[in-house]
Amino acid sequence: MQPRYHHVRHINLEFGRIEDEHLHLLKNKRSESLQDLETLNLNVCQKISDKGIQAVTSVCPNLKSFSIYWNVRVTDLGIKKLSQNCRHLVNLNLSGCQSITDVGLNSIADNYPELEVLNLTRCTKLTDDGLQQILLKCSKLQSLNLYALSRFTDEAYKKIALLPNLKFLDLCGAQNLSDQGLSCIAECKNLTDLNLTWCVRVTDVGVEAIAQGCSSLEFLSLFGIVGVTDNCLEALSRFCSNTLTTLDVNGCIGIKRRSRDELLQLFPNLKCFKVHS
C-alpha cells in the first residue's frame, strides 16, 4: 500500500456503491490505515447494514465524525456497535435512518457526553423518552436537528433548556411544540439559528420569549405559523434587530408588515427573507 494511504484521517464515500463486504475488506486488509481516522461519511450508502457498521467502526477507535444519512437498514444494533467501538464521537448524523428507535438514542446518550452535533432528521420512530435521555446526558450539544419529527411533545422540548451551548436548533414540523415549550427553549442564551417552520401551535407569546432570551439570534424561520402577529416582530426588533440576518415570515397571515421594506425597517441587517420555497 502506498505511504500516502497510511494514517488516513478523512474518508468520504457519499453516494458510493458500498456494501457490507467492502467494509469488511477494509477491516481485514487495511485496519492499520484506519487507526487515526477522524471522519467517515457513508451518506446514502443504502446497502450498508449493521454488520458493515460494526466491521468498519471496530478499526476506527479515534473517529470523531460519523455520517450515515438516509440509510433505512441500520438499526439500534448498529448504533450500539458504533458507540462501543468509537468512544470519541462529537459529530453524528443519522438523518433519515428510520429504523432507529429510542434504544439507539439511549446508546448515544450513555456513551457520548461530549457530543456537539446531532442530526436526527426524519428518524420517525423516536419518542420523548429517547430524546430526553439525549438532552439529559449530552449537555455539550451545540447543534441539534429535529427536522420533520412530529411525535415529540413539550415534555421533551422543555429539556432543551438543559443545553447551555446550543447554537443551532431545527424544529421544523414540531406540531406539538407550544409557547410553554418554546419559552423553555428561550433559556438557550447562545442560540443563533432557530427553525420554527410549521410549528403550528406557536403564537406571539413563544416568539416574544425567544426574542428576549436569545438576543444573538441570526436566523429565524416562522414560515407557515398563522398564530403569530406583528407583535412578535416588534419584540424581535427590540432584542434582535442588530443580529438577525435571515427571517422568513412567509405564510404568517397574522403578520401584516411583512414586505421587504417593512422588515428592513425593523431589521436593518436582513439579507435573506425566504428560507422555504
Side-chain angles (χ1 to χ4, degrees):
M1 186 170 60
Q2 297 183 35
R4 66 175 174 165
Y5 294 120
H6 291 164
H7 308 296
V8 174
R9 294 190 181 277
H10 308 283
I11 294 180
N12 184 352
L13 298 174
E14 187 167 279
F15 287 99
R17 296 180 179 179
I18 309 299
E19 300 184 23
D20 288 344
E21 62 186 270
H22 301 122
L23 299 181
H24 278 282
L25 279 173
L26 272 178
K27 173 188 175 182
N28 294 330
K29 296 190 175 183
R30 295 289 182 263
S31 61
E32 72 283 354
S33 300
L34 301 179
Q35 294 299 305
D36 296 322
L37 190 69
E38 295 181 358
T39 302
L40 179 58
N41 183 346
L42 298 177
N43 288 343
V44 204
C45 297
Q46 296 183 337
K47 292 187 177 182
I48 293 174
S49 73
D50 294 333
K51 293 180 180 179
I53 299 300
Q54 180 177 359
V56 72
T57 60
S58 68
V59 291
C60 304
N62 293 302
L63 200 65
K64 294 181 179 178
S65 177
F66 181 71
S67 184
I68 192 163
Y69 165 82
W70 208 250
N71 183 314
V72 296
R73 298 186 68 189
V74 171
T75 72
D76 297 328
L77 177 60
I79 301 307
K80 179 181 179 181
K81 296 302 182 182
L82 169 71
S83 62
Q84 290 174 343
N85 294 332
C86 307
R87 311 294 279 184
H88 306 293
L89 274 191
V90 293
N91 187 326
L92 180 58
N93 182 1
L94 301 176
S95 174
C97 295
Q98 297 182 353
S99 297
I100 294 172
T101 73
D102 289 344
V103 175
L105 281 196
N106 287 336
S107 295
I108 295 168
D110 289 339
N111 289 283
Y112 295 127
E114 304 295 317
L115 195 65
E116 296 177 359
V117 178
L118 179 61
N119 189 337
L120 298 174
T121 293
R122 291 195 171 92
C123 294
T124 52
K125 291 185 178 180
L126 305 180
T127 73
D128 281 351
D129 290 340
L131 180 58
Q132 287 182 90
Q133 289 303 305
I134 293 290
L135 300 174
L136 288 167
K137 297 177 180 178
C138 302
S139 60
K140 295 189 178 181
L141 276 171
Q142 297 180 25
S143 175
L144 180 60
N145 197 326
L146 303 177
Y147 183 99
L149 296 173
S150 59
R151 296 180 67 183
F152 298 139
T153 72
D154 276 348
E155 184 177 356
Y157 292 134
K158 288 177 181 178
K159 290 185 173 60
I160 293 176
L162 298 174
L163 306 178
N165 302 312
L166 194 66
K167 295 180 179 179
F168 175 96
L169 179 61
D170 194 330
L171 294 174
C172 177
Q175 63 185 23
N176 297 319
L177 176 67
S178 74
D179 291 330
Q180 191 174 14
L182 193 55
S183 296
C184 292
I185 293 171
E187 296 179 29
C188 299
K189 305 298 183 184
N190 293 307
L191 203 61
T192 60
D193 294 66
L194 179 60
N195 187 358
L196 296 176
T197 296
W198 295 119
C199 293
V200 293
R201 293 184 60 194
V202 168
T203 73
D204 288 339
V205 174
V207 179
E208 289 170 6
I210 289 292
Q212 293 182 47
C214 307
S215 57
S216 298
L217 209 58
E218 299 173 10
F219 173 108
L220 177 63
S221 176
L222 302 175
F223 182 94
I225 303 178
V226 299
V228 293
T229 71
D230 293 278
N231 291 334
C232 79
L233 291 191
E234 294 290 346
L236 285 166
S237 180
R238 284 197 302 275
F239 296 100
C240 305
S241 63
N242 293 325
T243 58
L244 267 176
T245 57
T246 297
L247 178 62
D248 191 342
V249 293
N250 292 285
C252 300
I253 59 176
I255 294 178
K256 306 307 178 185
R257 299 172 57 190
R258 50 193 169 107
S259 72
R260 186 185 185 96
D261 289 341
E262 287 171 323
L263 289 175
L264 281 172
Q265 289 178 7
L266 293 170
F267 310 100
N269 295 316
L270 278 186
K271 303 282 192 301
C272 180
F273 302 81
K274 192 172 187 179
V275 177
H276 299 268
S277 57

